[in-house]
Amino acid sequence: MPHKPLARSKPTSRLPDLPPLSFKKADLALDIRRHFNCTLGRNKFHKSAYYSYAALALTVRDRLMERWKNTQYAYKDTDCKQAYYLSLEFLMGRTLGNALLNLGVEEPVEGALHDLGIALEELIDNEVDAGLGNGGLGRLAACFVDSCATLQLPVMGYGLRYEYGMFRQHIENGYQIEEPDHWLRNGNVWEIERPELTVRVRFGGHTEYYEDHDRSRHVRWVDTRDVLAVPYDIPVPGYRNGTVNTLRLWKAAATDEFDLNEFNAGDYAGSVAAKNSAEHISMVLYPNDASENGKELRLRQQYLLASASLQDIIRKWVARHGEDFSTFAEKNCFQLNDTHPSIAVAELMRLLMDEHDLPWDEAWNITSRTMAYTNHTLLPEALERWSVRLFRQLLPRVLEIIFEINARFLAEVASRWPGDLDRIARMSLIEEGDEQQVRMAYLAIVGSFSVNGVAELHSNLLQQGLFRDFHELWPHKFNNKTNGITPRRWLAWCNPDLAALITATIGDRWITDLSELGKLAPYADDPDFRERWRQVKRANKERLVAHKKAELALEVDPDALFDVQVKRIHEYKRQLLNVLHVIHLYDRIKRGDTANWTNRCVLFGGKAAPGYVMAKRIIKLINNVATVVNGDPACDKLLKVAFLPNYRVSAMEIISAGADLSEQISTAGKEASGTGNMKFMMNGALTIGTLDGANIEIRQEVGADNFFLFGLTAEEVEAARAHYDPGAIIEGNEDLKRVMHLLEAGHFNQFEPGIFDAIVQSVKSPWDPWLTAADFQSYVQAQRRAAEAYRDQDGWTRMSILNTAASGKFSTDRTIGEYNRDIWKLEPVPAPSVE
Ligand code: 26Q
């Protein structure tokens, strides 16, 4: 046979794109086995199910890849405007189940696994949570990226790839013990390292002024100690729409020349140590969810995120447009998740001026038209301030720019309110005092065109209180965006039986249009439907008990009222008020006041910041009360109490589906929004709550009859402070008096005298910021109403259905729709079909 040369195109080192992969059960099974044997190098003798999980995850990831690539091509081709969500936290939880759901491949995958003799559920439990966040703010970011992909919006998340996420919590003798969360130990199949996109971030050094050939003045930031930021990309699939967006997380790494310099100086060990200090930056998530503590490492983290992300975006811009920034503001938008990344305001100015030669006014025009800031807290102690001294040492050039922004801003204030020096001092980005401080929230407001709160009440309080002066100056900047949760993870995925019942009743459009749930309301009066609803809830309660069996270590009656408070432990959230009620129930049992009793199982869960002594002591109190109650035969079925250790995203997926009563009992005016409240409501729990955060909107949506309201309003709270007298309240309330007496008598700490003294004192203090005693009576009454309502199972189930039916507003699809309509103004980009 004559030799026939192969037809070839010009040789290149690049590979062409792969044709689409199959979703057929047999092909999936083959790929799972191939990944298990080839990619992961395991064989049939390997015991751990982890690598079976990893093989499945890789098989699913392969299918995401082509959609991911096509989505990114589409963004490039359409040259669309893009938004960037900058956040120090993305609390993603597990990825596999969500990817299966959003790709719509649960069925063939379960089939493939079945043929291999494996149960999907077993594999799913092998994935460790990506706990790269503290709580609400971090989980909100995760729900947001899900909704952005589902709405086909070109939005990218930027965060940090912490080596250690939120600590793991153990309970020993009732005390919280923290353990490091080395979540990457076995690798992370969901991330793709992109070393080719590494950027350099500067720290330290000093600034120099020099004149250009045309005598224009420029600034050089020199003698810096640089750190590299290496991106790791995680795919974020939309719900069955072909779109896959990107979450880009930065890992800090040492530069090569850094090592070399030290090495040449003969200090090899020193060079490795220096490498270490660079890599420390992305080592660990700070586990405080409220008060900042001014640590240098935290500022380094914030700057690394801001600088690396902005450089990444600008590099992309320059590759396409060269040094022409005239349309940059029309094509880019940055959403700042609280003040944590707000240094981006000054960093964008620096990059545009020092690295791209723009004059101040042009750079400012771009910055103040692209930055948008979301506030998540009213607690004054949570407002970020950084000492000017630390700033000067770590980021001297950035500090100069902040001073210049401030000078120009204060000139504007002075011209609007001539001679009002108080106002200038109040509004300055620099707080004067023993030690000058940069007020990061003010930097964010001045540099942004949009400032939003996260629930109606919270946004109003921001405008009237914390940011009053700024609202007076720029009312048009302020707006509200009530939080939400993604209905994919928080209903379709975590509550498959309820989801199936809903879909069988009203169709499945609710998954991407949650207002459709409203169609369930008429069924609340249908006895058949109610019965099926009740059975699903009951099964979910059993699933919860089964899942937490080891941790509960007690018999729980699934017919009892499951009364649940899971969230970070914080005084303003008032887990203590809940404990006081539990003690009151115990006291009623002990004195025989149990006529018309409702059996109740009270569940707590949540982590305390390791340095927050009071919060940790509250955990101890919960556990000690649980020990006494559960150990007392008189309580038997009537009352059970448990603290569920290591509360996290994957735990909430089980807990929210199995709850009857959702505790949302913060001191009014303190919880910005809350999002756990929405997860419970969507899964058919009723809320007992104050008029705080999004509780107000939840009650509005579901109706006052289907919500157990108690407590002072935010306004009443502020008015009550002046004459607050908890001593008199305790004296005047027999129930509270007895509860306090049990506590003070050491009834719950017989072997550890004195450990609850500080807690007792906090309740009795006229300066108790959380007014716990003030709301006790009203809370106990609301709990009585809830208990009575639960005794009428039909009535309760009716209210449960109405809660789910009214939860449509609390989808992040609605929230993101509003961000996009009012702030980002992006066009959706349809994904090209893969087939
Ligand atoms: C700041 C500086 C240094 C170290 C840590 C921090 C820090 C970290 C996390 C400060 C605050 C947080 C987290 C705040 C948070 O989760 N806030 C919650 O945000 C939710 C989403 O908007 C709201 O629903 C909650 O009401 C709010 O408490």
Side-chain angles (χ1 to χ4, degrees):
M1 247 235 279
H3 175 73
K4 205 173 151 209
L6 284 169
R8 278 202 205 174
S9 51
K10 215 170 100 217
T12 154
S13 59
R14 277 184 233 137
L15 292 165
D17 290 337
L18 192 74
L21 295 169
S22 140
F23 283 106
K24 291 202 194 91
K25 163 177 109 154
D27 296 321
L28 289 166
L30 202 60
D31 273 9
I32 294 169
R33 295 170 62 186
R34 190 173 49 78
H35 278 303
F36 187 73
N37 287 157
C38 306
T39 314
L40 299 164
R42 311 289 139 162
N43 59 44
K44 62 187 177 184
F45 299 114
H46 195 89
K47 289 230 169 52
S48 145
Y50 175 80
Y51 291 100
S52 305
Y53 149 76
L56 170 59
L58 287 168
T59 303
V60 174
R61 192 186 83 172
D62 289 343
R63 271 93 189 147
L64 285 173
M65 277 305 163
E66 50 201 344
R67 287 163 177 74
W68 198 1
K69 175 196 72 198
N70 288 338
T71 302
Q72 302 315 309
Y73 287 171
Y75 292 165
K76 210 169 173 186
D77 291 347
T78 54
D79 193 20
C80 54
K81 181 177 186 183
Q82 290 194 237
Y84 307 93
Y85 200 75
L86 303 192
S87 178
L88 270 282
E89 306 191 7
F90 284 89
L91 190 41
M92 301 297 284
R94 290 175 177 162
T95 295
L96 176 58
N98 188 248
L100 293 176
L101 174 75
N102 282 15
L103 275 175
V105 294
E106 277 172 282
E107 247 184 59
V109 162
E110 279 187 287
L113 289 174
H114 179 265
D115 292 353
L116 296 169
I118 300 174
L120 176 58
E121 225 184 300
E122 311 265 291
L123 296 194
I124 282 186
D125 278 331
N126 281 278
E127 182 172 357
V128 287
D129 281 39
L132 308 186
N134 273 283
L137 165 150
R139 182 56 229 178
L140 185 73
C143 287
F144 275 7
V145 290
D146 179 86
S147 280
C148 289
T150 295
L151 295 170
Q152 304 199 300
L153 295 175
V155 177
M156 197 166 153
Y158 274 108
L160 291 184
R161 180 182 177 275
Y162 301 109
E163 213 80 36
Y164 293 85
M166 189 62 200
F167 65 82
R168 282 206 312 266
Q169 179 195 56
H170 281 280
I171 302 297
E172 271 177 37
N173 184 31
Y175 291 101
Q176 166 175 299
I177 308 291
E178 301 97 25
E179 247 189 25
D181 166 45
H182 196 186
W183 72 293
L184 294 168
R185 177 158 312 153
N186 294 320
N188 174 11
V189 300
W190 300 108
E191 65 183 15
I192 302 284
E193 186 183 357
R194 298 212 185 279
E196 71 277 18
L197 299 180
T198 298
V199 300
R200 179 178 286 261
V201 177
R202 300 170 200 241
F203 291 98
H206 57 95
T207 59
E208 276 177 5
Y209 286 75
Y210 67 97
E211 278 187 5
D212 229 354
H213 46 84
D214 63 350
R215 311 213 51 203
S216 58
R217 258 164 71 86
H218 293 271
V219 183
R220 259 195 303 254
W221 181 7
V222 295
D223 289 342
T224 52
R225 295 217 134 203
D226 300 355
V227 172
L228 300 179
V230 184
Y232 286 70
D233 287 355
I234 295 172
V236 180
Y239 184 75
R240 300 184 189 180
N241 62 8
T243 292
V244 179
N245 281 343
T246 304
L247 172 60
R248 179 161 288 175
L249 303 180
W250 298 102
K251 174 195 163 99
T255 59
D256 292 342
E257 87 259 3
F258 204 37
D259 299 349
L260 260 183
N261 286 341
E262 310 258 353
F263 182 73
N264 289 338
D267 184 5
Y268 177 72
S271 84
V272 176
K275 192 176 162 75
N276 236 319
S277 89
E279 296 186 344
H280 268 149
I281 295 179
S282 57
M283 196 58 69
V284 57
L285 166 78
Y286 274 86
N288 318 320
D289 77 325
S291 65
E292 65 90 20
N293 47 19
K295 289 282 190 296
E296 176 184 330
L297 183 60
R298 171 74 178 184
L299 185 56
R300 286 181 185 267
Q301 292 183 336
Q302 297 184 347
Y303 185 65
L304 187 92
L305 170 65
S307 184
S309 308
L310 291 171
Q311 288 186 56
D312 195 40
I313 293 156
I314 290 175
R315 177 177 49 196
K316 218 167 53 178
W317 179 267
V318 170
R320 187 168 193 129
H321 302 88
E323 295 290 322
D324 176 7
F325 285 88
S326 57
T327 57
F328 185 86
E330 284 140 49
K331 294 280 190 180
N332 296 283
C333 186
F334 305 99
Q335 192 70 43
L336 306 174
N337 199 17
D338 215 297
T339 51
H340 314 157
S342 62
I343 201 171
V345 168
E347 176 63 4
L348 182 55
M349 289 297 289
R350 188 189 73 78
L351 290 168
L352 293 175
M353 294 190 302
D354 297 359
E355 314 266 323
H356 296 278
D357 267 351
L358 263 60
W360 180 281
D361 288 332
E362 271 175 49
W364 185 248
N365 184 288
I366 289 174
T367 302
S368 57
R369 285 169 60 207
T370 52
M371 294 281 166
Y373 158 56
T374 305
N375 173 285
H376 296 265
T377 183
L378 286 156
L379 301 184
E381 66 266 32
L383 287 184
E384 275 197 293
R385 293 179 170 81
W386 290 104
S387 94
V388 166
R389 180 190 43 76
L390 175 62
F391 240 110
R392 185 172 290 123
Q393 187 192 308
L394 206 62
L395 305 166
R397 177 59 184 143
V398 182
L399 181 66
E400 285 178 0
I401 291 169
I402 291 175
F403 276 136
E404 181 67 23
I405 293 172
N406 195 34
R408 290 167 186 247
F409 163 61
L410 292 181
E412 194 180 332
V413 176
S415 84
R416 169 85 189 265
W417 288 283
D420 192 343
L421 297 181
D422 281 352
R423 188 183 293 262
I424 287 184
R426 282 204 307 271
M427 297 181 79
S428 174
L429 305 194
I430 308 298
E431 182 176 299
E432 303 294 335
D434 286 353
E435 165 125 63
Q436 283 188 317
Q437 309 263 329
V438 184
R439 295 161 160 162
M440 299 308 278
Y442 294 3
L443 175 63
I445 297 173
V446 171
S448 298
F449 66 93
S450 166
V451 178
N452 75 280
V454 290
E456 291 284 354
L457 174 71
H458 171 235
S459 296
N460 289 334
L461 292 174
L462 281 181
Q463 294 170 26
Q464 296 155 19
L466 215 50
F467 299 152
R468 189 192 182 95
D469 290 325
F470 290 89
H471 181 247
E472 217 181 325
L473 179 59
W474 296 311
H476 55 274
K477 285 194 188 187
F478 287 79
N479 64 94
N480 173 249
K481 295 285 168 282
T482 297
N483 281 167
I485 58 176
T486 170
R488 268 75 62 188
R489 182 176 297 258
W490 297 114
L491 183 51
W493 172 252
C494 76
N495 203 339
D497 293 350
L498 200 66
L501 175 56
I502 293 169
T503 295
T505 311
I506 61 167
D508 67 0
R509 294 209 346 244
W510 60 271
I511 301 176
T512 48
D513 175 6
L514 206 65
S515 66
E516 285 277 310
L517 289 182
K519 292 184 177 163
L520 286 173
Y523 293 89
D525 294 317
D526 172 344
D528 276 356
F529 184 78
R530 274 206 299 259
E531 183 49 28
R532 276 187 288 167
W533 190 274
R534 208 189 56 75
Q535 280 170 10
V536 170
K537 178 60 85 180
R538 162 87 200 208
N540 287 333
K541 290 167 77 172
E542 276 171 8
R543 178 176 68 145
L544 167 55
V545 172
H547 236 265
K548 304 292 168 193
K549 209 174 185 86
E551 289 143 344
L552 288 170
L554 70 147
E555 283 296 306
V556 175
D557 168 15
D559 287 325
L561 168 62
F562 279 24
D563 171 353
V564 187
Q565 185 171 26
V566 288
K567 51 184 77 230
R568 288 303 289 263
I569 311 291
H570 204 292
E571 287 165 282
Y572 84 80
K573 296 179 187 282
R574 295 199 299 193
Q575 281 91 356
L576 181 53
L577 181 59
N578 191 346
V579 177
L580 296 181
H581 173 249
V582 170
I583 297 174
H584 164 66
L585 291 181
Y586 169 75
D587 178 49
R588 276 183 58 195
I589 293 170
K590 295 305 277 182
R591 57 174 208 253
D593 176 14
T594 55
N596 299 320
W597 188 265
T598 301
N599 294 347
R600 196 189 279 253
C601 172
V602 187
L603 299 177
F604 291 87
K607 293 171 182 176
Y612 190 170
V613 175
M614 195 61 140
K616 293 178 111 171
R617 199 49 63 92
I618 290 168
I619 292 178
K620 172 66 173 164
L621 176 61
I622 294 168
N623 282 305
N624 278 25
V625 169
T627 302
V628 170
V629 168
N630 301 336
D632 191 327
C635 297
D636 190 31
K637 289 209 151 179
L638 305 187
L639 181 63
K640 297 274 183 219
V641 185
F643 185 90
L644 303 172
N646 203 29
Y647 174 62
R648 60 200 186 282
V649 172
S650 59
M652 185 55 158
E653 289 168 5
I654 306 290
I655 296 167
S656 57
D660 293 310
L661 187 62
S662 154
E663 299 272 351
Q664 307 300 336
I665 61 179
S666 51
T667 309
K670 299 300 169 194
E671 188 71 272
S673 161
T675 46
N677 48 4
M678 301 168 186
K679 292 163 199 166
F680 285 116
M681 179 200 201
M682 206 174 280
N683 285 279
L686 278 69
T687 305
I688 180 164
T690 49
L691 286 177
D692 199 15
N695 296 352
I696 296 174
E697 292 157 75
I698 286 178
R699 180 166 171 271
Q700 233 157 42
E701 294 296 305
V702 74
D705 292 345
N706 304 304
F707 185 107
F708 301 104
L709 178 70
F710 76 94
L712 301 177
T713 64
E715 251 180 300
E716 288 165 349
V717 162
E718 290 318 312
R721 290 190 196 287
H723 49 87
Y724 183 50
D725 184 356
I729 294 172
I730 295 166
E731 266 316 299
N733 182 308
E734 195 55 29
D735 291 336
L736 182 54
K737 200 165 150 184
R738 293 176 62 94
V739 168
M740 294 305 289
H741 180 76
L742 280 171
L743 273 171
E744 286 177 284
H747 190 78
F748 303 101
N749 53 319
Q750 302 225 0
F751 307 107
E752 294 169 287
I755 58 170
F756 299 132
D757 289 0
I759 291 180
V760 170
Q761 281 319 306
S762 76
V763 177
K764 292 166 82 172
S765 165
W767 298 278
D768 171 17
W770 323 116
L771 278 71
T772 303
D775 279 347
F776 178 81
Q777 183 169 8
S778 161
Y779 180 54
V780 169
Q781 285 166 355
Q783 286 283 20
R784 266 218 193 234
R785 296 199 298 276
E788 258 152 49
Y790 190 76
R791 299 171 63 68
D792 168 14
Q793 276 292 298
D794 238 18
W796 185 276
T797 304
R798 191 176 167 278
M799 294 195 285
S800 168
I801 296 165
L802 291 177
N803 266 271
T804 302
S807 68
K809 172 173 178 183
F810 304 105
S811 167
T812 36
D813 297 346
R814 188 267 314 150
T815 310
I816 289 298
E818 292 177 7
Y819 273 92
N820 191 45
R821 183 194 63 202
D822 302 342
I823 304 173
W824 306 339
K825 303 182 193 297
L826 311 171
E827 290 299 331
V829 178
S833 78
V834 171
E835 279 71 37

